Amino acid sequence: KGILATEKADAIVVMLGLDDRVAIREPATEKIDKPSEKKDAKVKPDGKPSEEKTASKPDGAAKQVDSELAPEDAADATGVRPGAGQDKSAASSSGLREFREKRWGDLYREKIDEMIGVLKAKGVPVLWVGLPAVRGAKATSDTAFLDTLYREAAGKAGITYVDVWDGCVDEAGRFSQQGPDFEGQIRRLRSNDGVYFTKA
C-alpha cells in the first residue's frame, strides 16, 4: 500500500518467489469469556476481582526456510514439473501452519486475494507472472504448487496471469538453463544457481 501510494504506475507486475515457503501463524480467535467462566480469576480479600493477569506464554517465532534453493531442493536436478496437490498433515499446536498444509494454502490464498485487492485499487492493469521452473526436484515441486495458487487467484480476480514455465524447460519438461531470449535467439537465460536469470 505504501509503495502504491507514492508511485505513479501505468501497470503493475507481480512475481513472488520461493521465499514464501515459510510457516504461517494462524490468527488467534479471541474467545470472550462470560464472568462465570473465568475459573482462574483471582479474588482480593474484599471479594472484588483482582486486576492481576496470569502470565501467558510468548508466541514462538515462525519457522523460516532458507532462501531459494535450500540444500534439499538441489538434491535432485531432474526438474520435471510435478503435480502440485501435495498436502501435509495437521498443524502444530502453536498455531503454525506449515508450507503445503491444507490450512496453510487457505491462509496464503487470503493473503494473495488481499494483495490483489490492493493492486487493483490503483486502477491500472495488473499482471501476475508465474514462477519459472528452477533446478532441483523439491524446489520445482514447490514452485509448481505456488503457481497453481497464483493462477487460480488471478483468474478469480480477473487479472492477467502470465505463465513463463514453458520458456524455462526443455522439450521433456525439465529445467533448462538455455532458452529463447526476447528476440527468439537461444541463449543462456539462467544463472549457475538454477534460480536467477542472466541479463539475456
Side-chain angles (χ1 to χ4, degrees):
K1 288 180 183 178
I3 294 170
L4 290 178
T6 59
E7 292 290 328
K8 183 182 183 315
D10 295 316
I12 299 170
V13 180
V14 179
M15 184 185 215
L16 299 181
L18 294 176
D19 284 345
D20 276 356
R21 298 178 296 171
V22 294
I24 298 175
R25 183 173 302 285
E26 177 112 31
T29 55
E30 293 195 23
K31 180 182 174 187
I32 301 174
D33 293 330
K34 296 176 185 169
S36 61
E37 292 177 345
K38 292 187 178 180
K39 298 175 185 143
D40 296 333
K42 297 187 190 299
V43 178
K44 294 191 284 187
D46 61 4
K48 294 181 180 173
S50 169
E51 297 299 318
E52 281 183 48
K53 293 182 180 175
T54 54
S56 61
K57 294 179 184 175
D59 287 336
K63 184 179 106 178
Q64 295 293 314
V65 176
D66 284 342
S67 62
E68 276 98 355
L69 276 190
E72 63 271 19
D73 292 334
D76 181 352
T78 58
V80 176
R81 188 177 202 168
Q86 295 179 13
D87 186 23
K88 291 186 179 177
S89 58
S92 71
S93 59
S94 66
L96 281 181
R97 307 300 172 168
E98 296 296 333
F99 178 64
R100 289 232 196 187
E101 288 176 3
K102 182 181 184 314
R103 184 63 184 143
W104 184 96
D106 296 340
L107 294 168
Y108 192 67
R109 281 183 188 92
E110 290 173 13
K111 291 176 179 288
I112 296 169
D113 292 343
E114 181 182 348
M115 183 174 179
I116 289 175
V118 170
L119 300 176
K120 285 179 70 173
K122 190 71 173 175
V124 298
V126 178
L127 296 91
W128 195 297
V129 180
L131 297 171
V134 293
R135 180 184 292 123
K138 183 180 181 304
T140 297
S141 174
D142 292 346
T143 298
F145 171 74
L146 290 169
D147 275 347
T148 299
L149 301 181
Y150 302 147
R151 183 183 294 104
E152 289 171 359
K156 186 174 76 172
I159 65 171
T160 302
Y161 179 80
V162 182
D163 189 337
V164 298
W165 193 275
D166 289 343
C168 300
V169 294
D170 62 18
E171 296 79 15
R174 293 182 302 252
F175 168 80
S176 176
Q177 286 190 298
Q178 308 288 333
D181 67 8
F182 71 100
E183 294 177 323
Q185 299 297 312
I186 300 301
R187 300 189 188 280
R188 182 183 170 100
L189 300 182
R190 305 301 285 279
S191 54
N192 288 334
D193 61 10
V195 176
Y196 295 100
F197 290 91
T198 64
K199 186 176 180 181

